[in-house]
Amino acid sequence: MDIVHFELISQRYTSEGSSSLMSSRDYTWINAIKDQRNYIFGHGLGSGGHLANAAGIKPVVLDGSYFNLLLETGLFNTLCFIGILLSSLKRAYTFRRTYIVEFLLLLFYLCSLLGANIIDMPYIIAPMWYILGRINNNDNTKCANKLK
């Protein structure tokens, strides 16, 4: 029995096994785009994920929070979310002497949202919301302007 498990595990990490793992994830994007019925407002929160299967909805599990957000909330809400992130990034860069740590952490979050579903994980995404609130707090920038 142990030899069978070892062969399955070793096959998974060979070039053939790993290429099939990656190619199977490519089709999820294509299927999600084909099945999208409402591009503007999406299908609703929770409609694209593992829990959708328990509710009897055809689950579409996408890797990447931006794409999952696009499927669930639509183009309008995704663009609003990205607008908040980019305006906060610009503000953090403008006041980079005050927000250097927040700027670097926000860059990290922007990159990790591309390939991971971190919006669904409250312990990981909560610090990002704290960082966004800290960057957009006017009291900190008033103090920074007085120091100049």
Side-chain angles (χ1 to χ4, degrees):
M1 189 71 149
D2 292 331
I3 295 172
V4 173
H5 289 285
F6 178 75
E7 288 177 3
L8 289 173
I9 292 170
S10 65
Q11 181 185 9
R12 185 172 200 136
Y13 292 106
T14 62
S15 61
E16 295 170 4
S18 61
S19 65
S20 68
L21 288 173
M22 294 305 291
S23 65
S24 67
R25 291 180 180 239
D26 292 342
Y27 292 109
T28 59
W29 301 102
I30 295 168
N31 291 336
I33 292 171
K34 285 181 185 175
D35 292 342
Q36 185 78 358
R37 292 179 302 276
N38 191 350
Y39 290 103
I40 303 297
F41 295 111
H43 292 216
L45 288 175
S47 63
H50 296 288
L51 294 177
N53 191 21
I57 302 169
K58 178 184 173 187
V60 178
V61 180
L62 300 174
D63 294 324
S65 291
Y66 294 122
F67 303 109
N68 198 15
L69 197 65
L70 181 64
L71 173 76
E72 292 182 355
T73 64
L75 185 64
F76 177 74
N77 294 316
T78 303
L79 290 177
C80 289
F81 178 71
I82 291 172
I84 291 169
L85 294 177
L86 292 179
S87 68
S88 299
L89 187 69
K90 180 184 179 293
R91 184 177 171 90
Y93 182 76
T94 302
F95 298 103
R96 61 188 168 273
R97 294 185 72 185
T98 307
Y99 298 121
I100 187 67
V101 173
E102 290 87 351
F103 176 74
L104 294 173
L105 286 171
L106 188 57
L107 274 177
F108 168 75
Y109 275 109
L110 289 173
C111 293
S112 63
L113 284 167
L114 280 172
N117 292 330
I118 64 170
I119 288 181
D120 299 338
M121 302 172 192
Y123 295 114
I124 296 174
I125 202 68
M128 187 192 85
W129 291 113
Y130 175 77
I131 290 167
L132 289 174
R134 208 168 135 67
I135 290 170
N136 292 303
N137 184 1
N138 288 329
D139 291 339
N140 292 334
T141 55
K142 288 176 187 175
C143 293
N145 288 335
K146 288 180 183 178
L147 293 175
K148 287 183 179 179

